[in-house]
Amino acid sequence: MRFKKNIAAFVAVLFAQIVYAERSITIQSPDQNIQLGIMHRDNGDVIYRVLYKGKTVIAPSGLGFKLNVPALSLVKFNLLSADSSATDENWKPVWGEQSVIRNNYKQLVLQLADHSGSGIKLNIVFRVFNDGVGFRYEFPQQEKLNHFVVGEELTQFAMAGDHKAFWIPGDFDTNEYGYYTTSLTAIDATGGGKAQEIHAKTFFDKNATQTPLMMKSADGLYINIHEAALVNYPALNLVMDKSSLIFNAHLVPDATGNKAYLQTPAKTPWRTIIVSNKAGNILTSRLILNLNEPSVIKDESWIKPQKFVGVWWEMHVGKSSWDYSGSQVGSQQATKVPHGANTANVKRYIDFAAKHGFQGVLVEGWNTGWEDWFGQWKEDVFDFVTPYPDFDVKELSAYAKEKGVKIIMHHETSASVTNYERWMDTAYRFMNNNGYNSVKTGYVGRIIPRGEHHDGQWMVRHYERVAKKTSDYKIMVDMHESVRLTGLHRTYPNWIASEAARGNEFNAWSVGNMPDHETILPFTRIMGGPMDYTPGIFKIKMSYYNAEKKEQVHTTLAKQLALYVTMYSPLQMAADLPENYEAKPDALQFIKDVAVDWDETRVPDAEPGDYIIMARKAKGSPNWFLGAITDENARNLVSSLDFLDAGKKYVATIYRDADNADWSTNPEAYVIEKFLVDSKTLLKLKLAPGGGTAVSLMPASTAELKSVKKYK
Ligand code: NOJ
Ligand code: CA
C-alpha cells in the first residue's frame, strides 16, 4: 500500500519525529514547538488538531465539503496516500516589513477519496511552520469531477477554552466595524447592527465573526486564524458554536446562495493558524505571505512605496465637497461648501507635497458623477475619464510633473462594479496618458451585479482582475471597501495597500474608532497585508471645523505619529490638511523622516487591545523608527533598543505626549526631545490615555556626539 510505504520512507529519511500509528500521523514544525496531528477514523472522518509546546491550539476538528453540484456531502474519506516533504528557503519581497523572508516548513499531502464510493478525489495539503499551520484543499483534475459548485466548506476550528477574542461581526459586505473584545461564548454579532455609520452591511448570524480573528487563551497562547491566497473563492467567516467552542467555516454566498463555482484542478485558499506564547511573534509572523505565490510581475522597478497627501480629509471634515454642486453628498449636511478638487486647490497640495518631500497627491472628487454617488444602488454613476469643469487634467499633470510629484488617481466605483469593469482599460489608458501611476479604488454601497457581495467569489475575482490589469498598465492600486487582505500582495506587489477595515476617516464623521482600535488592527486586519489607515491627523477635534461637531479622533497627536510605525503600509498618507501641518512643522518632521519600506521589524513588547511597541529599520539605511501606542489607559512602558548596532551612538528624537496630554481632554499636547542613545539604552515610554510615542533613531554625527545630551 502506497500510504504505508511513503510513511515508512518519510519517517526514515526525513524527520525522525513523525510517528505513524494506525491511521494517525503527527508532523512537527522545524523547531518542534508545533505539532499537527491527523486522525483518520474508522468511519472515514479526517480530523486534525494542533498543539503548541504541548498546549492545545486547535482541538480535534473536522474537514470537508458540502457540494451543491453534484449534490454530495464530502466528509468521509478513504486515505489513499500521505506524502511528505520539507522546504527551507529565503525570498525577497519587492517591499515589506523585512527585506528577506525565511520560508521554512514541513509539508504533508493527504490524498483522499470519497468514502461513499462516488470516486471523487480530494487532497489536503498541510504546512507546519515554526509560527503556525496552513492547510488547503485541492480538487485534482479527475474523471468524476469537472465543474462543481460548493455549498459550504465544512472546515472546523475547535477551540480548547473560552478564549478572549478580538473580533468584528461576520458580514458579507463590510469589514468597517469597530472591534469587540469578549470571551468566545460572549460573542454577539447582532451588535454589528448598531453600526449605523456603515452603509452596506449584511448581517447573517449573531455568532459569526470575520477573520483575521485574534484570540488569547487563559494559558497564555496567542492564536490567530485567517486565510492566505484568497483567489477565485469567497472569503471566510467563522461561526461560533458556543456549546462546543467550535468555529465552523461560513463562506460568503453569491446572489443565489451558492458559495463557489469551481472547475478541477481547483485549490481553496489556505486556512491559517498562527500561534505563539508571545504576542509580538504574531505580529512578526510571515506565514501568510509564505503561503502565497511569488510575484507574477517581471519588471517591478515601477512599484514604489511612498507617502502621500491628498484633497481628501477636507471632504471628510466637511470643508469641501466631492461633488461639483458642493452639496456634500453622503454627509447629510445641508450647507453648501466649495468643490474640493479644483485646479487651484490641487496645486496648493502639489506645492505642499513638493516642499515637504511627499511623492503623491491623491485627488478625490475630480470626475463627474458624485451627485449620484451615495446610497442609490445605481448603474453608470462614474465614467472615470470625465473631469468636472474646474479640474484641468492637462494643466495639473504638467504642474505635478514640473514639481516632481505624482497625482494619485481616484476611482470610486460606487460598487457599480460591472460598470467599472467596462471602463477599466479606458480609465487606465487615461491614467497612462496623463502621467498617473497609482489609483485608489473604492466600493462604497451595495454591489452591482445586484445580489453579489463585497466578499463573495465574484468580487474576489474582480479585485484580482484589477490587480492584474493595473499591473499591465504599470499602475499601483490601493483598494478601499475591498475584501480583507490575505497576502496576495506577494503575488501582485502593485496591489500596494487596501483599506478593508475601519480607517481613521470614521473619526471625522461617526462615533469613531475607540482608543484600543489601533492596538488591535495589527493583530487582525493587518495580518493579511498593508492597510491604508490614513494616519497623521494633527487637528484632533472636529469642533475646530464646526463648533457644533462632537466628533474627534480618539488618540493624541503623538499617537498619530506612532501609527506610521505600528500600522504597516508601504503607502502611507499624511492625511491632515497642509495648513494643519504647516502650523506644527516640528511634529511634521517625524512624518517626513519616517520610512515606508523596511529591512527589519522588531516588537519589543505588545499586548493586543492594550499596547504595541514596534521598531523598524528603514530599508537600505541605518535609521530606525520606533512607535509605541496605548489604548484608553495611560501606561509607563520600557523598550529595549537592543536592535541598534552595538557600540554605535544614535540620536533619538522622541515625539511624546505632554505630561498632561489625554486623547479626550488635551489631545494635541506633545513634547519633542533629543538624546544620545545606544543598544544598551532602556527607553522609558510614558503614554497618555489614548496616547503614543514616536521615535526616530539616526546615527549621531561627530557634532551631535558633542551637542546632544545623553539619555538617562
Ligand atoms: C470611502 C473611502 O474609504 C474614503 O477614503 C473615500 O474618501 C470615500 N469612500 C469616497 O470614495
Ligand atoms: Ca472606507
Side-chain angles (χ1 to χ4, degrees):
M1 194 178 140
R2 203 174 134 214
F3 173 56
K4 275 196 179 153
K5 204 171 100 225
N6 282 341
I7 287 299
F10 185 31
V11 173
V13 183
L14 280 165
F15 347 100
Q17 67 269 33
I18 286 179
V19 180
Y20 170 60
E22 196 187 355
R23 300 209 312 279
S24 143
I25 303 167
T26 301
I27 177 167
Q28 291 189 326
S29 57
D31 68 2
Q32 307 198 358
N33 285 338
I34 297 181
Q35 248 189 17
L36 167 76
I38 307 290
M39 280 151 281
H40 179 223
R41 291 195 178 137
D42 284 345
N43 67 0
D45 288 345
V46 174
I47 306 287
Y48 78 101
R49 72 161 188 184
V50 179
L51 305 179
Y52 176 85
K53 294 187 178 170
K55 292 179 182 170
T56 302
V57 181
I58 304 287
S61 299
L63 298 159
F65 283 92
K66 175 179 169 285
L67 301 187
N68 284 353
V69 182
L72 183 72
S73 176
L74 207 52
V75 287
K76 309 236 182 252
F77 303 95
N78 298 331
L79 183 54
L80 305 180
S81 74
D83 290 294
S84 68
S85 59
T87 296
D88 188 2
E89 64 190 9
N90 289 324
W91 61 278
K92 292 186 175 175
V94 179
W95 41 261
E97 295 177 83
Q98 59 192 79
S99 49
V100 180
I101 294 178
R102 185 172 177 192
N103 181 29
N104 182 21
Y105 63 85
K106 306 261 169 90
Q107 174 169 287
L108 176 69
V109 182
L110 300 181
Q111 292 198 312
L112 306 167
D114 176 25
H115 197 58
S116 74
S118 66
I120 290 177
K121 289 181 187 161
L122 173 70
N123 300 339
I124 310 180
V125 183
F126 293 91
R127 290 186 182 167
V128 187
F129 302 78
N130 291 340
D131 46 349
V133 173
F135 64 91
R136 76 165 7 157
Y137 302 91
E138 294 183 353
F139 291 87
Q141 193 155 13
Q142 53 190 288
E143 225 170 86
K144 300 285 189 220
L145 194 67
N146 184 12
H147 295 277
F148 63 108
V149 179
V150 174
E152 190 56 276
E153 182 184 311
L154 301 177
T155 304
Q156 296 183 326
F157 303 87
M159 298 296 109
D162 192 8
H163 305 330
K164 181 177 183 183
F166 304 86
W167 58 274
I168 55 173
D171 199 297
F172 301 152
D173 278 292
T174 184
N175 29 49
E176 297 191 333
Y177 289 103
Y179 284 91
Y180 295 78
T181 305
T182 70
S183 64
L184 293 175
T185 50
I187 287 172
D188 183 0
T190 36
K194 283 188 293 192
Q196 294 309 331
E197 67 279 11
I198 303 175
H199 178 47
K201 53 183 195 296
T202 308
F203 166 80
F204 67 96
D205 190 319
K206 70 181 174 46
N207 295 317
T209 70
Q210 299 187 34
T211 72
L213 176 69
M214 186 67 213
M215 287 169 283
K216 186 184 183 185
S217 73
D219 55 358
L221 287 188
Y222 296 87
I223 304 168
N224 183 283
I225 300 181
H226 189 37
E227 57 183 320
L230 174 58
V231 173
N232 190 24
Y233 202 78
L236 175 72
N237 283 278
L238 297 175
V239 181
M240 168 84 328
D241 174 350
K242 289 174 184 165
S243 59
S244 61
L245 294 179
I246 292 177
F247 276 116
N248 288 293
H250 187 111
L251 302 174
V252 176
D254 77 346
T256 72
N258 284 327
K259 300 298 173 84
Y261 300 80
L262 302 176
Q263 182 183 5
T264 57
K267 293 171 179 171
T268 70
W270 296 91
R271 279 47 189 109
T272 62
I273 302 147
I274 298 172
V275 59
S276 178
N277 53 11
K278 265 189 72 187
N281 291 345
I282 304 295
L283 300 177
T284 53
S285 167
R286 306 291 169 241
L287 182 148
I288 288 171
L289 276 178
N290 277 326
L291 289 170
N292 274 271
E293 297 300 318
S295 171
V296 292
I297 298 173
K298 295 224 164 53
D299 167 21
E300 293 155 333
S301 59
W302 51 275
I303 300 171
K304 301 232 187 308
Q306 60 183 280
K307 286 174 278 188
F308 70 105
V309 295
V311 181
W312 181 75
W313 189 245
E314 60 175 77
M315 280 87 97
H316 286 271
V317 301
K319 267 193 86 170
S320 69
S321 189
W322 282 277
D323 55 288
Y324 188 60
S325 62
S327 54
Q328 305 188 69
V329 174
S331 75
Q332 284 122 32
Q333 295 187 46
T335 39
K336 290 229 174 190
V337 291
H339 174 227
N342 66 75
T343 302
N345 196 32
V346 175
K347 282 188 177 172
R348 191 168 71 89
Y349 279 80
I350 292 174
D351 290 342
F352 177 80
K355 179 172 167 201
H356 296 286
F358 293 101
Q359 291 87 353
V361 176
L362 168 71
V363 185
E364 296 199 358
W366 70 277
N367 59 327
T368 57
W370 288 87
E371 283 73 8
D372 267 353
W373 165 50
F374 202 75
Q376 309 225 29
W377 215 9
K378 182 175 168 183
E379 278 270 29
D380 299 334
V381 171
F382 294 104
D383 70 8
F384 315 99
V385 294
T386 308
Y388 279 129
D390 59 347
F391 181 89
D392 191 323
V393 174
K394 296 282 173 221
E395 189 182 331
L396 283 168
S397 295
Y399 192 75
K401 188 167 181 199
E402 183 196 316
K403 297 274 175 164
V405 169
K406 289 277 186 191
I407 305 180
I408 299 177
M409 173 52 77
H410 185 230
H411 291 163
E412 173 55 67
T413 67
S414 72
S416 173
V417 187
T418 28
N419 178 52
Y420 189 48
E421 295 244 353
R422 286 192 286 270
W423 278 100
M424 263 156 41
D425 279 292
T426 310
Y428 301 151
R429 262 195 305 273
F430 176 88
M431 286 178 60
N432 282 173
N433 292 339
N434 290 294
Y436 292 71
N437 69 347
S438 56
V439 60
K440 168 179 168 181
T441 59
Y443 299 88
V444 172
R446 286 191 282 171
I447 300 290
I448 299 178
R450 293 186 179 84
E452 295 300 338
H453 295 294
H454 282 77
D455 297 345
Q457 183 188 24
W458 196 91
M459 283 301 290
V460 164
R461 289 172 61 98
H462 167 76
Y463 305 124
E464 191 191 4
R465 197 148 49 237
V466 171
K468 237 185 223 153
K469 201 177 262 302
T470 47
S471 81
D472 292 343
Y473 288 90
K474 293 199 178 359
I475 289 170
M476 294 174 272
V477 60
D478 165 23
M479 303 186 198
H480 278 230
E481 295 84 43
S482 73
V483 72
R484 44 210 177 267
L485 297 189
T486 59
L488 262 185
H489 51 290
R490 176 175 178 189
T491 313
Y492 300 104
N494 67 309
W495 186 347
I496 196 153
S498 266
E499 181 192 42
R502 192 177 177 96
N504 221 359
E505 66 191 29
F506 277 79
N507 282 315
W509 36 256
S510 79
V511 290
N513 305 340
M514 295 307 106
D516 64 352
H517 189 62
E518 296 94 348
T519 68
I520 300 174
L521 278 171
F523 287 97
T524 52
R525 158 67 183 78
I526 299 175
M527 292 299 293
M531 177 171 179
D532 182 18
Y533 187 71
T534 68
I537 301 304
F538 281 13
K539 271 284 152 222
I540 299 289
K541 300 215 178 213
M542 299 307 123
S543 53
Y544 173 76
Y545 300 102
N546 173 344
E548 277 158 35
K549 286 198 176 180
K550 300 263 180 304
E551 291 83 3
Q552 77 160 97
V553 174
H554 293 69
T555 75
T556 63
L557 185 152
K559 181 170 170 181
Q560 288 290 310
L561 297 179
L563 296 179
Y564 287 91
V565 184
T566 59
M567 297 285 223
Y568 172 64
S569 182
L571 179 74
Q572 288 280 27
M573 187 171 202
D576 212 332
L577 311 179
E579 54 271 35
N580 295 340
Y581 288 133
E582 305 232 273
K584 294 188 167 77
D586 56 350
L588 175 63
Q589 191 60 42
F590 182 80
I591 306 180
K592 291 168 68 169
D593 290 341
V594 70
V596 282
D597 198 15
W598 311 99
D599 276 333
E600 276 181 64
T601 291
R602 302 286 179 89
V603 184
D605 200 0
E607 186 62 38
D610 293 343
Y611 63 90
I612 294 175
I613 308 174
M614 218 182 246
R616 305 189 196 262
K617 181 181 168 294
K619 199 178 236 175
S621 147
N623 299 341
W624 283 79
F625 296 87
L626 181 143
I629 60 167
T630 179
D631 59 1
E632 68 281 7
N633 299 306
R635 267 173 226 280
N636 289 306
L637 302 173
V638 177
S639 180
S640 155
L641 300 182
D642 62 359
F643 44 81
L644 297 176
D645 281 356
K648 210 169 169 172
K649 295 280 179 216
Y650 291 74
V651 176
T653 308
I654 301 174
Y655 304 74
R656 66 167 175 87
D657 297 318
D659 292 339
N660 58 355
D662 180 302
W663 71 270
S664 71
T665 56
N666 189 22
E668 291 175 15
Y670 63 93
V671 173
I672 302 176
E673 295 165 318
K674 274 186 200 285
F675 297 102
L676 282 182
V677 298
D678 60 29
S679 63
K680 297 208 178 89
T681 304
L682 292 177
L683 198 65
K684 293 186 229 56
L685 301 161
K686 187 170 180 291
L687 312 178
T693 300
V695 186
S696 63
L697 296 145
M698 305 185 183
S701 66
T702 323
E704 284 169 328
L705 284 174
K706 289 187 196 130
S707 63
V708 180
K709 59 178 181 271
K710 279 207 190 99
Y711 185 76
K712 288 198 294 277

